[in-house]
């Protein structure tokens, strides 16, 4: 069975995260793998979910990789199993709806695995609540895949606090901030201009841009906007992405007249 780099449901026969922090790290790794399958690697994921094959499942791994494979044969399995037969509905639904449905089931699976570990290693009420609160800080996979990410006031507050400290950043940080501002202008004018402004007004404009993007989340990894990172906006779906998540550098972006994210590019290739 072809896979996205996974090696099994866990990370080895003795893999057992025992603390809240370890379970949360496991959750984040599996979540990142699933998001990768349903966004950046969606063409490969789509191809592997052949309706002519047997019941298939989508697994995410702590290593941030994913795999489409048959369910475990042992009963009960080592860990809770993802939804069976995701491949059967592939050609009977609109692709966006099918991916969103797989995302919903993936969210449910992530929670079941996390709280399976919690139950197995005796997390008390306080630990379970802490684990859930840590998990709940992230947008769901469904919100990312469907584009309906809800704006969290807490994330906005966090970004505002970050913005208040930007005056202490070095010149490199300021240049990176201008890059974000320039990208926003580029999206409107349909051309890339990544050279920072030299006048003092640029700083005021950038602070306004931070407020505008305070609730923006990366369409690939789901993490929120950070002024010290390179971002790029898709001209088709208008979602924002970390440059590193879609393998686009500032130098490469200068030569792109119209940027299409991996998901939009894949849809166009199959249509």
């Amino acid at each position: 069975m072809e896979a996205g780099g996974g090696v099994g449901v866990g990370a080895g026969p003795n893999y057992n995260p025992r603390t809240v922090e370890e379970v949360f790290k496991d959750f984040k790794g599996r979540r990142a793998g699933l998001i990768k399958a349903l966004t950046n690697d969606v063409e490969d994921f789509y191809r592997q979910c052949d309706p002519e094959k047997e019941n298939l499942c989508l697994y995410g791994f702590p290593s941030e990789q994913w795999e489409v494979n048959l369910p475990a044969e042992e009963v009960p399995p080592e860990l809770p199993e993802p939804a069976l037969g995701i491949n059967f509905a592939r050609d009977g639904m609109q692709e966006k709806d099918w991916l969103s449905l797989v995302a919903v089931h993936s969210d449910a699976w992530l929670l079941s695995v996390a709280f399976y570990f919690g139950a197995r290693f005796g997390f008390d009420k306080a630990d379970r609540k802490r684990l859930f609160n840590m998990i709940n800080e992230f947008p769901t996979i469904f919100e990312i895949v469907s584009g309906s990410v809800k704006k969290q006031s807490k994330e906005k507050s966090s970004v505002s606090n970050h913005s208040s400290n930007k005056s202490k950043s070095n010149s490199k940080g300021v240049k990176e901030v201008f890059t974000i501002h320039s990208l926003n202008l580029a999206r409107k004018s349909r051309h890339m201009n990544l050279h920072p402004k030299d006048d003092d007004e640029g700083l005021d404009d950038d602070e306004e841009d931070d407020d505008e993007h305070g609730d923006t989340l990366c369409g690939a990894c789901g993490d929120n906007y950070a002024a010290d990172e390179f971002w790029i906006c898709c001209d088709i779906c208008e979602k924002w992405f970390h440059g590193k998540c879609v393998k686009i550098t500032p130098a490469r972006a200068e030569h792109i007249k119209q940027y299409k994210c991996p998901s939009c590019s894949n849809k166009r290739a199959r249509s």
Side-chain angles (χ1 to χ4, degrees), residues 119-218:
R120 182 171 180 177
F121 296 110
F123 287 7
D124 59 19
K125 181 178 180 180
D127 282 343
R128 292 195 303 272
K129 183 177 181 179
R130 185 157 66 95
L131 175 60
F132 177 78
N133 287 339
M134 292 167 75
I135 289 174
N136 204 39
E137 287 297 310
F138 286 83
T140 64
I141 299 176
F142 169 76
E143 289 174 324
I144 292 172
V145 171
S146 66
S148 61
V149 177
K150 296 179 180 179
K151 296 181 178 181
Q152 302 291 336
S153 59
K154 195 165 187 178
E155 291 172 347
K156 184 175 182 179
S157 174
S158 174
V159 173
S160 297
N161 290 337
H162 178 77
S163 299
S164 66
N165 294 326
K166 279 195 301 169
S167 59
K168 301 177 183 178
S169 63
N170 57 25
S171 59
K172 180 180 178 182
V174 171
K175 288 182 180 179
E176 289 170 333
V177 165
F178 282 135
T179 298
I180 302 299
H181 180 64
S182 298
L183 278 172
N184 186 41
L185 295 177
R187 179 170 67 86
K188 297 174 182 176
S189 62
R190 290 297 185 265
H191 71 275
M192 292 293 171
N193 176 19
L194 303 179
H195 300 292
K197 296 181 181 179
D198 293 326
D199 53 64
D200 294 335
E201 294 179 359
L203 285 174
D204 295 333
D205 291 341
D206 184 67
E207 287 175 359
E208 294 176 3
D209 192 50
D210 281 341
D211 292 336
E212 178 184 346
H213 291 287
D215 297 305
T216 302
L217 299 178
C218 175

Side-chain angles (χ1 to χ4, degrees), residues 6-17 26 30 60-63 78-79 117:
V7 294
V9 179
N14 298 319
Y15 178 75
N16 287 310
D26 177 271
R30 294 179 190 275
F61 302 109
S63 60
E78 179 187 357
L79 289 178
F117 285 128

